[in-house]
Amino acid sequence: MAPEHERDLATFAAELETGAIPDRVHDRAGLTVADTLGAIVAGSTDDAVSSLARRWTNGASGGATVLGADGGETNPPLAALCNGTAGTVLELDEGHRFAAGHPAIHVLPALLADAEIGYGDSDAFVRSFVAGYEVAVRTARALGTLRSGYHPHGLWGAVGGAAAVARSRGLGPETTRSAMAIAANYAQHTRFEAAIEGATVRNAYAGMGNLAALVAVDQAEAGFGGLENGVARHLEHAAADGIDEAALSAGLNERWELEHGYFKIHAACRYTHPTLDAIAALPDGIDPATVESVRVGTYPAAARLTESRPRNQLQAKFSIPFAVATALLRGDTGPTAFADEAITPEAIALAERVTVAVDDEIAARAPEQRGARVTVETADERFSREVVAPRGGEHDPFDEGRLESKFRELVAPVIGEDRAATLWEGAKTPEPPRVLCTLARR
């Protein structure tokens, strides 16, 4: 084991100053914060999320805001859990292909809750978010491919969340390192099967990671010590090929992982996105009733999403056959396309005409390019489209206007058009955490 890599990463997080962050990365941080807030506010309307929020804010105090539909106050760990859960339930939160997961939603809720009650300013908020994001992605890179069955949510994200909170509080490198190691100790045994089978406990994985991040920093600041080289030693059991400890500190202050994230417009697992982009590229006017078969060729991780009869919206979001069916039937892939109400007999019947398999040529290009080839056969015609990599990432990024329209579509129904517009502008800057929290609740 090589503890110097962990110490270098903790020192980077503890000592990162706003002036060291390139302008382009600062701007990207603002867009990422805004996009993540949009996912949280919209996801707060989910029935289970809303019910949980009411339990923990009813008559409670604590100064940390539960965002969105049932906005109220509670203590920071519970607020972070609620907001982290809300941000994943719609499957519209930002992600990172080389982390194979979603760094921002593991960092922002914990940081926001802590900085809100600490009256943090904008500069401290930005550098803390960037520090946490960079730590989260480097921790994920160190793990590399996960052992079979693991879901990335709730596994490595708490390490990044702890680094962000520690930076926000101005803690030194050793206390920050200890907080990161303690957070790694709280890694969850998250199972990918939960998503595939529609077990909605999966929606709380990221929320629990944010709670763990706050607890870990509190413990480190109180004097609890983390295991030496604890990030690697606590997480190595989840790595299929062992921990690459050098990845923890590789490229610090040179490569900014925040620039390599992706944004989502399809309200489904990222593995479905190249397929859905291919569906969107088909000619207009295909009558779903005439579709006899759809063949999808894609990379191995995506090819396992084969359930054609989802029982709820979570399982629907992790089903390529259903994603194809609802996209063809509705011409839309937003939240309503995967809602429970969209799981109709017509959609199931069409999903059962969809087959999914590994395409060796596409598989060979992953993870640099994660693509899909879709072939649709109707009674009279055959259409085929291939997507090399899904939209929203480095290969085909969205401009700011597209991200703003996504944000407004998600947020305006919850807090109103005017406040949604104000929140977008405030989040991009971003404004101080207390201002953002006030704007992002109904």
Side-chain angles (χ1 to χ4, degrees), residues 222-300:
F224 287 80
L227 186 66
E228 182 74 9
N229 209 29
V231 172
R233 292 167 69 191
H234 284 303
L235 297 178
E236 63 182 346
H237 67 278
D241 303 311
I243 294 279
D244 176 11
E245 293 181 59
L248 291 172
S249 59
L252 288 172
N253 293 303
E254 296 174 1
R255 185 184 72 244
W256 297 89
E257 296 290 0
L258 232 168
E259 295 186 277
H260 305 292
Y262 61 76
F263 296 109
K264 300 173 70 174
I265 58 170
H266 305 305
C269 173
R270 183 65 168 178
Y271 295 166
T272 71
H273 285 211
T275 298
L276 290 173
D277 287 342
I279 292 290
L282 292 170
D284 293 335
I286 296 176
D287 181 357
T290 69
V291 173
E292 295 183 343
S293 69
V294 180
R295 297 192 305 277
V296 177
T298 188
Y299 55 98

Side-chain angles (χ1 to χ4, degrees), residues 162-189:
V165 173
R167 183 67 192 95
S168 182
R169 295 186 189 179
L171 304 183
E174 184 53 32
T175 306
T176 299
R177 187 211 65 79
S178 197
M180 289 163 51
I182 293 170
N185 178 68
Y186 295 140
Q188 301 162 62
H189 291 283

Side-chain angles (χ1 to χ4, degrees), residues 25-59:
V25 178
H26 190 288
D27 292 344
R28 178 74 177 205
L31 285 175
T32 304
V33 167
D35 187 78
T36 306
L37 283 174
I40 293 171
V41 171
S44 72
T45 62
D46 176 81
D47 288 344
V49 173
S50 179
S51 177
L52 192 63
R54 287 194 300 271
R55 284 174 178 265
W56 287 343
T57 59
N58 185 21

Side-chain angles (χ1 to χ4, degrees), residues 87-135:
T88 59
V89 72
L90 294 181
E91 271 294 320
L92 281 166
D93 51 309
E94 176 268 4
H96 192 289
R97 65 192 170 102
F98 289 115
H102 303 261
I105 198 59
H106 285 86
V107 171
L108 183 62
L111 173 61
L112 198 61
D114 199 69
E116 180 187 13
I117 65 168
Y119 292 89
D121 62 28
S122 296
D123 278 351
F125 182 58
V126 171
R127 64 176 172 258
S128 299
F129 178 75
V130 173
Y133 192 103
E134 297 297 314
V135 168

